[in-house]
Amino acid sequence: MEVQTQRIQLFGENHPFQLECGAELSPLHVAYETYGELNEDGDNAILICHALSGDAHAAGAAHINDEVLSQIPFYKTMKPGQSGWWDGMIGSGRAFDTDKYFVISSNILGSCYGTTGPTDINPLNNRSWQADFPTITVRDIVKVQHVLLQKLSVKKILSISGGSLGGMQALEWSIMYPDFVKSIIPIATAARHSAWGVGFNHLARQAVMSDAAWQGGFYDEQPAKGLSLARQIGMISYRTDISFQKRFGRERLENEKDYLEAGNLFQSESYLNYQGQKLVNRFDANSLVTISRIIDLHDVSRGRGELTEVMKTIEAKALCIGIDTDILYPAHEQQTIAEMLTNAQYFEIRSADGHDAFLIEFDQLSRAITPFLDSVSQEK
Ligand code: COA
């Protein structure tokens, strides 16, 4: 299945998009991909929501050409034919079965992958927004997705799923558009971001901002060292001691070299360096700062009342998924989310890979999601 990311303008000069913070965005573009066909009733749609550094390319083989690159320059490291980040979950016969469902994956506000964000032009001064990009919330992201879905003629969403920030979007959707959403599958996420999670994001932002190249967020060249360090801090929180030990043990880059030589990195160091550089090559530092802030501000109860009362109002059927080794969004937090909801079931993935298991353990995810979607789609 070859897919090309679409980029469309949803809001323009005469009809700007109003953000929660009071600022307006115009024009506002959204990048998205779709897989499968919408049925006549417009009610077999499933929305897939990505996490912090994700993009709209969730499934299939990427179709990368000059046109795509001119619209989404940060796709420069995406190889033609590259599989989407949830390819193991979306497709014919997979959990999000494109023979049955119309699957939509959209890139979020604040990102650098085709939806309006800090790398886009601020019409007020014709320069990139960079650090002037306004504060965004998950509610803003959901509002934009709602407009996109209406444009795609979706009448009702069968399910909304995503891990991490993706799960936050699913929860917000079920509160903001209760009549539109039949079910949600939040994975390894939060109803409101924890103090622990804010702490990790704070470290990441501090790493970016302490790089001299950051220049208050108005840089010509990416603050590469800071961005790399931010990713490395993130990676530690996405994995576990067990997975690091299993993968790297005490291996060095050159085991036969002098044990005491400082330049002879441990494989664990080498892995983190690699992951840091990989993000520097494919992501924007202001987007990382913006989106980590979106996550920290996430709280479904904000302005709505007590958290437990707000969660009780969610009518959408829910499958809440936790990961037994997740240190960032622990399994007990997912269980609590399920307990607060009125119509929820809980499933736990077993994995050594911690939070990242939602991007790895496709068999276990599918075992829970396939029957859940079958039952939701059979309900009238
Ligand atoms: N030194 C240097 N590089 C190393 C290494 C070492 N000791 N060990 C592995 N690598 C490199 C591999 O060569 C490979 O490179 P490639 O991606 O260019 O092919 C990469 O690290 C593999 O990463 P790994 O984490 O081992 O892959 P995985 O299969 O366990 O996980 C993903 C797959 C998609 C989850 C992971 O690659 C990823 O992108 N994680 C993103 C983290 C994230 O955003 N999580 C969500 C947060 S909300």
Side-chain angles (χ1 to χ4, degrees), residues 67-133:
E67 188 200 338
V68 174
L69 288 175
S70 70
Q71 293 184 342
I72 313 177
F74 272 92
Y75 270 9
K76 63 182 183 282
T77 58
M78 195 180 286
K79 300 179 189 89
Q82 185 171 313
S83 295
W85 55 269
W86 240 11
D87 193 57
M89 298 297 300
I90 304 165
S92 174
R94 297 189 180 155
F96 299 107
D97 191 343
T98 48
D99 297 336
K100 298 181 194 164
Y101 311 122
F102 177 57
V103 182
I104 304 145
S105 164
S106 83
N107 179 228
I108 61 168
L109 271 178
S111 171
C112 52
Y113 288 126
T115 299
T116 304
T119 55
D120 282 292
I121 298 296
N122 176 356
L124 296 179
N125 59 14
N126 273 325
R127 291 202 298 265
S128 294
W129 282 97
Q130 296 199 301
D132 277 341
F133 195 70

Side-chain angles (χ1 to χ4, degrees), residues 338-375:
E339 282 161 16
M340 283 191 286
L341 295 169
T342 43
N343 190 4
Q345 49 182 289
Y346 176 71
F347 178 83
E348 196 162 295
I349 290 175
R350 295 172 70 87
S351 172
D353 283 320
H355 185 57
D356 263 355
F358 84 88
L359 296 166
I360 297 170
E361 304 288 356
F362 299 144
D363 286 348
Q364 292 187 64
L365 283 169
S366 302
R367 229 174 291 141
I369 291 173
T370 304
F372 176 77
L373 289 177
D374 279 347
S375 78

Side-chain angles (χ1 to χ4, degrees), residues 114-185:
T115 299
T116 304
T119 55
D120 282 292
I121 298 296
N122 176 356
L124 296 179
N125 59 14
N126 273 325
R127 291 202 298 265
S128 294
W129 282 97
Q130 296 199 301
D132 277 341
F133 195 70
T135 303
I136 304 287
T137 65
V138 175
R139 296 178 194 180
D140 291 322
I141 291 171
V142 168
K143 212 168 124 189
V144 172
Q145 288 166 338
H146 184 241
V147 176
L148 172 68
L149 262 50
Q150 285 177 313
K151 207 163 178 93
L152 295 175
S153 305
V154 172
K155 299 284 182 293
K156 193 154 186 150
I157 280 278
L158 185 77
S159 203
I160 303 179
S161 184
S164 211
L165 171 58
M168 296 173 191
Q169 294 163 58
L171 287 168
E172 269 296 344
W173 256 101
S174 63
I175 296 171
M176 289 173 68
Y177 301 103
D179 299 336
F180 203 64
V181 184
K182 212 166 167 192
S183 76
I184 54 172
I185 309 174

